[in-house]
Amino acid sequence: MTAEDFEQSMAALFAWREENDNCANAMLGILYVLRNRVEAGWHHGSWIENIAHAEEHHPGQKTVDAYPDVRDPAFLQVLQLVDEVYDGRRKDNLTGGALYWARPMKVDPKSWFATEIMNDPVKHPRTGSIGGTMFYGEVKDVEGNK
């Protein structure tokens, strides 16, 4: 196993843990957001650090600590596609370049995520939706600041 194989495995597991009650496209959406964060230089551009620190940018939803059935068709689909997302061959046609995701019905309306991300469409426009999971981008000002 290579370092890239390990990162891809951890990313697939994380995506499954986030969206296992949704669909393969929602899991794929999480992979895209991770890649978008890596490409934006979040957490030193490290896949593992972005996974480890994901809850810092999460709307209070705790990632489940479980493991997938490796025969699950949705998880198998994610395993087949994770390398293409990882190396950039697969274009993000689901999240519109999102850097955040949430299930709005589970977000505390007084939380930082609600006030800073969900309720500020000028800076964080909604860029996609998959099965109840919403994806949000980030608009930088003219000087390139968040």
Side-chain angles (χ1 to χ4, degrees), residues 51-125:
I51 293 166
H53 294 277
E55 288 192 23
E56 294 173 10
H57 313 286
H58 212 257
Q61 297 166 217
K62 183 81 170 137
T63 302
V64 298
D65 188 21
Y67 296 92
D69 179 343
V70 294
R71 299 166 295 183
D72 172 22
F75 185 63
L76 288 172
Q77 185 177 358
V78 169
L79 287 177
Q80 289 175 341
L81 299 174
V82 66
D83 62 325
E84 293 178 21
V85 173
Y86 180 86
D87 65 19
R89 285 179 289 147
R90 189 167 196 76
K91 300 301 175 210
D92 181 355
N93 61 352
L94 295 174
T95 75
L99 293 170
Y100 303 93
W101 73 89
R103 292 198 183 172
M105 299 301 288
K106 294 184 177 182
V107 176
D108 176 352
K110 295 180 183 176
S111 70
W112 73 268
F113 193 90
T115 58
E116 298 294 322
I117 308 298
M118 290 174 53
N119 296 332
D120 191 351
V122 172
K123 288 185 182 175
H124 300 285

Side-chain angles (χ1 to χ4, degrees), residues 11-22:
L13 176 61
F14 179 77
W16 178 85
R17 286 178 169 175
E18 284 294 304
E19 293 292 329
N20 69 76
D21 61 341
N22 204 335

Side-chain angles (χ1 to χ4, degrees), residues 4-60:
E4 289 82 11
D5 292 336
F6 178 73
E7 288 179 326
Q8 290 176 33
S9 299
M10 294 302 293
L13 176 61
F14 179 77
W16 178 85
R17 286 178 169 175
E18 284 294 304
E19 293 292 329
N20 69 76
D21 61 341
N22 204 335
C23 62
N25 275 347
M27 292 180 222
L28 199 54
I30 301 304
L31 292 176
Y32 284 133
V33 171
L34 288 174
R35 184 181 71 196
N36 295 340
R37 289 176 176 182
V38 166
E39 290 177 351
W42 287 32
H43 302 288
H44 312 289
S46 164
W47 280 82
I48 297 300
E49 285 189 43
N50 272 288
I51 293 166
H53 294 277
E55 288 192 23
E56 294 173 10
H57 313 286
H58 212 257

